[in-house]
C-alpha cells in the first residue's frame, strides 16, 4: 500500500465526531479509555494481541502489532484518530528480556505507518521514564535528556517519541504524546500477567502476606486512572478538532508520594497491619519523579481530581468489588 500524496495542511479532516482505533485496548488504560469513549457516544475499535479479560463490550481485532503489518489492521473507513497504547509496559520485565523493548518500537512503527498511509492523527502513550532517574524536583517536558535512558523500556519510549517526531516532520502527521506516570485504579489487578506495585500491595496486604518495597526513598507521581483518561479525552478532542497538536505533555497527578505512603494508605483502607521488608531499588527503576503538569493545564484545561489518599481508597474498593480479597 502506498501513502496518499502529501498535502500538508489540506489532508487531515479535522472534526469533532470521534471514531477511534485504540491499540492496547485489552490493557489497563486502554480498557478504561475505550469504555469512557463509548459511554460518551464515540465509536471505538480496539486492537490487542490478547482478548480483553475485563469486558466483552469493546470490539477488538486480535493481532500482534510486531508481526501483523498494516494490512491486518482494521479498515480506516470513517476513522479519525488512532490512540497507540499497546506496549510491553513493565519496566523490570524489559530489563530481563530487552527484546520486548524492541517489540515496542516495532509495534509503534506498524501503527505509525498505518497513520501515515491513511492520514490519521495519533496519540502515543509515552512515559515519565523518558526523563531517566534525574532527581529534579519537578519535571517539566523540556527536561528530557535522552542520554539518561534508564532501562530498555525507557529507551523504547524515547525511540517511540523520536519516531513520532520524525513522522510529524516528514509526513506532517498530527500527534500528541502523553507521558504517563504510575497509572493505577480500575482494570489493573491481573497480577498473573502484570505485577504492578499497587494491585500487588492491595492483594498481599489484604491477605496478611509480607510485601517487599524496592526503594524506601522512591518518590513517584501516582495517577488515578480516571484522571489519566480525562486527560486523554481532552487531548483526543483537541487533536481531532485541530486545536492542539504536535505537543508532548506530562499527564500525571503533579504530586510526589513515597511507596511508604502507598503502603500505609492501602493498609488503612483495608484495616490491616502491613508486614513490610525494604530492599534497594532495582536496576532500571526511576526513584524520583514529580511531573510539572502546567502544560496539560494550559493547553487542555486538564485538572487531576484524585489525590493518592482518595485514589487508593477507590482502588481498594474496586478490587474488593471485582474479586474476593
Ligand atoms: N500504566 C502506567 O502506569 C503507565 C505509565 C507510563 C506509560 N504507560 C504506557 O501507557 C500504555 C498503556 O499502559 P497500560 O498500563 O494500559 O499497559 P497494559 O500492559 O495494561 O496494556 C498494554 C496492552 O498492550 C498489549 N500489547 C503489548 N504488545 C502488543 C503487541 N505487540 N500487539 C498488540 N498488543 C500488544 C498488551 O496485550 C496489553 O493489553 C503503554 O504504552 C504503557 O507503556 C503506562
Amino acid at each position: 500500500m502506498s501513502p496518499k500524496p502529501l498535502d500538508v495542511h489540506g489532508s487531515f479532516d479535522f472534526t469533532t465526531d470521534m471514531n477511534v482505533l485504540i491499540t492496547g485496548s485489552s490493557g489497563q488504560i486502554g480498557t478504561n479509555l475505550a469504555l469512557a469513549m463509548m459511554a460518551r457516544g464515540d465509536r471505538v475499535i480496539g486492537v490487542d494481541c490478547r482478548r480483553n479479560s475485563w469486558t466483552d463490550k469493546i470490539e477488538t481485532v486480535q493481532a500482534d502489532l510486531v508481526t501483523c503489518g498494516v494490512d491486518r489492521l482494521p479498515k480506516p473507513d470513517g476513522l479519525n484518530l488512532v490512540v497507540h497504547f499497546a506496549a510491553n509496559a513493565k519496566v523490570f520485565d524489559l530489563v530481563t528480556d530487552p527484546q520486548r523493548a524492541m517489540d515496542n518500537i516495532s509495534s509503534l512503527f506498524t501503527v505509525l505507518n498505518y497513520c501515515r498511509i491513511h492520514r490519521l492523527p495519533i496519540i502515543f502513550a509515552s512515559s515519565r521514564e523518558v526523563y531517566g532517574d534525574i532527581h529534579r524536583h519537578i519535571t517539566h517536558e523540556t527536561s528530557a535528556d535522552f542520554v539518561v535512558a534508564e532501562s530498555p523500556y525507557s529507551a523504547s519510549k524515547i525511540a517511540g517519541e523520536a519516531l513520532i517526531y520524525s513522522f510529524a516532520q516528514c509526513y506532517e502527521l498530527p500527534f500528541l504524546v502523553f507521558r504517563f506516570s504510575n497509572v493505577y485504579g480500575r482494570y489493573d489487578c491481573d497480577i498473573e500477567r502484570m505485577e504492578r506495585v499497587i494491585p500487588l500491595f492491595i492483594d498481599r496486604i489484604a491477605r496478611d502476606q509480607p510485601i517487599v518495597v524496592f526503594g524506601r526513598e522512591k518518590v513517584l507521581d501516582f495517577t488515578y486512572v480516571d484522571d489519566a483518561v480525562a486527560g486523554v479525552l481532552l487531548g483526543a478532542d483537541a487533536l481531532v478538532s485541530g486545536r492542539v497538536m504536535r505537543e508532548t505533555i506530562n499527564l500525571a497527578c503533579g504530586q510526589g508520594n513515597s511507596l511508604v505512603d502507598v503502603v500505609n494508605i492501602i493498609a488503612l483502607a483495608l484495616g490491616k497491619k502491613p508486614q513490610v521488608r525494604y530492599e534497594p531499588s532495582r536496576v532500571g527503576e526511576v526513584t524520583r519523579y514529580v511531573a510539572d503538569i502546567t502544560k496539560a493545564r494550559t493547553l487542555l484545561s486538564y485538572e487531576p481530581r484524585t489525590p493518592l489518599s482518595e485514589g487508593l481508597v477507590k482502588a481498594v474498593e474496586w478490587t474488593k468489588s471485582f474479586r474476593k480479597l
Side-chain angles (χ1 to χ4, degrees):
M1 227 188 256
S2 58
K4 288 180 193 163
L6 265 184
D7 167 12
V8 174
H9 297 293
S11 58
F12 288 92
D13 177 21
F14 292 113
T15 165
T16 47
D17 293 332
M18 196 71 78
N19 190 346
V20 59
L21 184 152
I22 301 177
T23 73
S25 57
S26 302
Q28 181 210 6
I29 311 178
T31 300
N32 280 286
L33 178 70
L35 293 177
M37 292 190 111
M38 287 158 63
R40 66 176 204 171
D42 298 335
R43 184 166 178 273
V44 172
I45 182 154
V47 175
D48 204 294
C49 54
R50 302 177 303 126
R51 60 171 283 277
N52 194 307
S53 58
W54 311 106
T55 175
D56 55 11
K57 289 192 180 140
I58 304 165
E59 183 186 345
T60 305
V61 172
Q62 216 166 315
D64 183 339
L65 290 162
V66 175
T67 49
C68 72
V70 286
D71 293 338
R72 176 85 175 74
L73 294 179
K75 295 256 175 297
D77 313 335
L79 277 183
N80 51 15
L81 177 66
V82 173
V83 176
H84 180 57
F85 280 176
N88 297 310
K90 182 96 195 339
V91 175
F92 198 68
D93 284 357
L94 278 64
V95 174
T96 51
D97 181 5
Q99 175 62 44
R100 291 161 70 82
M102 192 61 206
D103 290 348
N104 285 350
I105 300 168
S106 301
S107 291
L108 170 63
F109 191 70
T110 304
V111 174
L112 266 177
N113 255 334
Y114 178 83
C115 292
R116 176 179 67 96
I117 292 163
H118 300 299
R119 314 302 296 153
L120 288 166
I122 184 169
I123 288 178
F124 173 58
S126 185
S127 166
R128 60 108 202 273
E129 298 289 326
V130 300
Y131 295 111
D133 198 15
I134 46 176
H135 293 259
R136 289 198 182 89
H137 185 54
I138 297 279
T139 309
H140 182 265
E141 283 85 351
T142 55
S143 48
D145 175 356
F146 293 163
V147 295
V148 294
E150 210 47 46
S151 69
Y153 174 79
S154 316
S156 77
K157 291 299 183 188
I158 290 167
E161 286 197 14
L163 271 175
I164 298 260
Y165 304 144
S166 74
F167 272 56
Q169 195 64 26
C170 296
Y171 313 113
E172 298 289 341
L173 204 68
F175 73 86
L176 287 179
V177 168
F178 285 120
R179 292 178 178 159
F180 292 115
S181 173
N182 285 89
V183 181
Y184 69 97
R186 220 178 296 107
Y187 309 132
D188 66 348
C189 66
D190 48 349
I191 295 168
E192 321 64 42
R193 173 184 76 95
M194 173 87 149
E195 210 178 73
R196 284 192 160 118
V197 67
I198 288 180
L200 183 70
F201 284 1
I202 293 175
D203 192 69
R204 293 188 73 89
I205 294 172
R207 294 171 204 282
D208 295 309
Q209 291 174 347
I211 55 171
V212 182
V213 169
F214 291 100
R216 182 176 207 144
E217 74 294 350
K218 267 190 200 132
V219 171
L220 299 172
D221 197 330
F222 295 94
T223 316
Y224 187 62
V225 69
D226 287 352
D227 285 332
V229 166
V232 176
L233 289 176
L234 289 165
D237 291 344
L239 180 60
V240 167
S241 66
R243 265 187 296 119
V244 182
M245 64 179 95
R246 293 179 157 239
E247 297 285 355
T248 297
I249 301 171
N250 292 335
L251 215 49
C253 186
Q255 293 171 13
N257 282 282
S258 70
L259 284 176
V260 180
D261 298 329
V262 169
V263 171
N264 290 337
I265 298 168
I266 291 173
L268 196 65
L270 288 165
K272 295 282 185 175
K273 192 167 171 5
Q275 306 164 49
V276 191
R277 195 176 87 234
Y278 293 96
E279 297 278 347
S281 292
R282 292 177 297 181
V283 173
E285 290 182 330
V286 167
T287 60
R288 180 173 179 95
Y289 175 76
V290 184
D292 180 338
I293 55 171
T294 310
K295 194 169 175 185
R297 285 192 164 114
T298 310
L299 290 180
L300 302 176
S301 305
Y302 167 73
E303 200 51 61
R305 296 194 172 166
T306 319
L308 188 69
S309 53
E310 284 174 29
L312 283 180
V313 173
K314 288 185 181 187
V316 166
E317 287 311 312
W318 177 79
T319 311
K320 277 184 184 164
S321 75
F322 184 74
R323 70 167 183 224
K324 196 168 176 313
L325 282 176

